Amino acid sequence: MAIAMILCLPLASAQARTLETAFGEVTLNGEARRVVTLYEGALDTALAAGVTPVGAVTTRGGDGVARYLDDYLDDIAIVGVVREINIEAVLMQRPDLILATPLISSEQYALLSRIAPTVVPATDGFSPDAWKDEARLFAQALDREEEVEAAIADVEARAAELASALAEHEVDNDVVLVRWMPQGPMVMSTQIFASGLLDAAGLEVNDSGLVREGAGHSDPLSLENLSQVDRDWLFLATLNEEGREALDAARRSPAFDRLNVVQNERVIPVDGQLWSSASGPLAAQAILDQLEAALLP
C-alpha cells in the first residue's frame, strides 16, 4: 500500500495536548499503543517511562540497539540505522506515534508524518543538557511526563551525590573522553551527553582545544600526538570490534605506553555505544554507575 494512502492511526482517546516540535505544533490524544523510535535518546526515554517501542534504529557501530539496553528489551524490530531510516520498515510496524531524531530531514519528516504523528525535538547543536529537554518532549508525546521528570531528577541527584563523594576522596578531576576508531583516536566534545554527566559529577572535561565549535569530536589524532590527551584520567571508548582491534594495536606502541595516564594506570575502557552515542535517563544512570566504579575506592 502506498504511503500516500496511509491514514495516521488514532491514539487512545484521552485529553488532547499540543507539542512544540522542530516542525511546528503536533497535537496528540491519549497514550500511544505502538511507538517507533528513530533516535537513541527517544528509545532510552520511552523505556525509562515504562513504554516498550515496537521499532527502533540501530546504535552507531552496531547492528542492533545499544548493549546497555539489553536488560530492558527482549526484542525489537529494526527500522533503519541512525542516518538512514527505512520508511517501509517503519510503515510495517503500524505506529501510532513516531519519536524522531533532531537530525531528521524535512523530506523524511514529510513522509513519516503521513504514517503517524511524528515528534522531533528542536535541538540546536550540541549541548550537554539537551537530553533533558528532549526527554521532556518525548514524555509529553508518550503521556508519561511524571515518570520521565522523576527519572531526570534521579539522575541529577545521583550526579550531585557522586560529585560530593569524589570531592571527599580528593579524586583528581582532569579527564578526557576519547573514542578510538580504526583510523585513530578522536577526542570527544565537552558539549556531548557523557561530558555533561562527567561535569555534573564534579569532573573537569578537557578536549585540549582539539574539537571545533559545533562538532561532536576532533579529527583523528596520530599516535605521535597522543600527548594531547594525557590527563589525570582517560576514558577510552570503542564502538565495535574494529575499534577494539585498533586500540589493542595502539597499546603496543611506545607512544601510547609513555603517557602518564597509562603509566599511572588511569585509562578506563568504556563502551562507546553508551559513552559516545547514547543519551537519556537510563544511559545517564549507566554512565554514573561506571564512573563510580572506576573512580571511587
Side-chain angles (χ1 to χ4, degrees):
M1 184 179 297
I3 294 178
M5 298 176 62
I6 297 296
L7 296 177
C8 295
L9 297 175
L11 302 178
S13 59
Q15 184 175 357
R17 57 204 181 278
T18 299
L19 284 58
E20 297 291 339
T21 80
F23 289 91
E25 293 184 349
V26 174
T27 299
L28 302 173
N29 290 280
E31 186 174 341
R33 298 189 181 97
R34 296 185 63 81
V35 180
V36 166
T37 60
L38 305 178
Y39 177 43
E40 292 164 299
L43 175 60
D44 183 296
T45 300
L47 293 170
V51 175
T52 302
V54 296
V57 293
T58 64
T59 187
R60 289 171 178 81
D63 55 8
V65 301
R67 290 178 287 266
Y68 79 93
L69 294 175
D70 285 348
D71 291 340
Y72 301 93
L73 276 172
D74 292 327
D75 192 25
I76 192 169
I78 298 300
V79 296
V81 299
V82 174
R83 297 189 182 277
E84 188 175 347
I85 299 164
N86 185 328
I87 300 294
E88 294 299 328
V90 173
L91 184 61
M92 288 178 62
Q93 294 308 311
R94 298 179 291 107
D96 50 19
L97 177 64
I98 298 171
L99 305 180
T101 169
L103 300 177
I104 196 171
S105 69
S106 57
E107 292 79 11
Q108 288 176 319
Y109 177 80
L111 291 172
L112 292 166
S113 61
R114 288 160 67 182
I115 298 172
T118 301
V119 174
V120 182
T123 304
D124 183 18
F126 287 98
S127 169
D129 284 331
W131 71 274
K132 296 178 186 178
D133 292 334
E134 294 172 356
R136 289 180 173 118
L137 179 66
F138 295 141
Q140 282 185 276
L142 295 166
D143 199 25
R144 298 291 179 97
E145 292 178 80
E146 184 176 337
E147 292 87 344
V148 171
E149 202 60 49
I152 292 172
D154 286 346
V155 170
E156 292 173 340
R158 173 85 184 284
E161 290 171 1
L162 184 52
S164 296
L166 293 174
E168 181 181 347
H169 286 85
E170 298 182 341
V171 175
D172 292 333
N173 69 347
D174 189 9
V175 305
V176 62
L177 173 59
V178 171
R179 183 165 71 193
W180 206 287
M181 303 292 285
Q183 62 267 39
M186 300 186 301
V187 179
M188 303 306 294
S189 169
T190 60
Q191 298 302 302
I192 68 168
F193 171 71
S195 296
L197 290 170
L198 293 172
D199 179 73
L203 300 172
E204 182 178 338
V205 187
N206 202 314
D207 67 5
S208 300
L210 296 170
V211 181
R212 299 187 305 275
E213 184 176 355
H217 54 73
S218 71
D219 294 330
L221 298 177
S222 67
L223 292 180
E224 290 73 21
N225 290 326
L226 281 179
S227 61
Q228 296 179 80
V229 299
D230 202 359
R231 302 289 170 179
D232 292 333
W233 299 93
L234 170 57
F235 291 90
L236 205 48
T238 53
L239 283 173
N240 51 30
E241 191 58 38
E242 288 183 353
R244 285 187 287 273
E245 289 173 357
L247 175 58
D248 288 342
R251 280 175 164 156
R252 296 191 290 271
S253 73
F256 189 92
D257 194 53
R258 70 170 66 101
L259 295 175
N260 290 324
V261 71
V262 174
Q263 295 290 323
N264 294 331
E265 298 183 347
R266 288 184 168 186
V267 178
I268 312 298
V270 295
D271 184 351
Q273 292 183 4
L274 172 61
W275 282 70
S276 66
S277 186
S279 68
L282 300 180
Q285 292 288 3
I287 288 174
L288 293 174
D289 282 344
Q290 294 180 13
L291 186 59
E292 180 176 356
L295 301 190
L296 285 181

